[in-house]
Amino acid sequence: NRIDGNEVQSGNMTEKEKLHAFAVLYDLTEKEREALFCILRRLSIKEMAASMGLSSKGVEYHITNVLLKVGIK
């Protein structure tokens, strides 16, 4: 099922659907999606690591990948 940018902007999608569309649009891995969700929840790196079952370095790796994929350097 194809994601249409106009559909996302129209306001006809739930927040969960928008997050999924964003993840699909930018080809995020499952861990990158988890990291993004943690960021949106305003968790600290330490809290993210506990939530995701990773080290702080692992979390930072996935956050960096998200930022690169969306064009933030």
Side-chain angles (χ1 to χ4, degrees), residues 4-55:
D4 181 338
N6 292 328
E7 182 182 2
V8 173
Q9 292 178 354
S10 72
N12 294 331
M13 298 175 73
T14 66
E15 290 302 312
K16 187 175 182 177
E17 289 170 330
K18 288 179 186 178
L19 183 58
H20 175 73
F22 183 86
V24 169
L25 181 66
Y26 288 101
D27 194 29
L28 301 182
T29 66
E30 187 61 35
K31 285 296 185 187
E32 291 165 350
R33 291 175 193 208
E34 286 182 55
L36 177 59
F37 185 68
C38 287
I39 290 167
L40 295 174
R41 291 174 47 214
R42 298 178 181 249
L43 298 181
S44 69
I45 296 291
K46 187 175 180 178
E47 291 168 325
M48 289 182 196
S51 174
M52 296 172 65
L54 299 173
S55 67

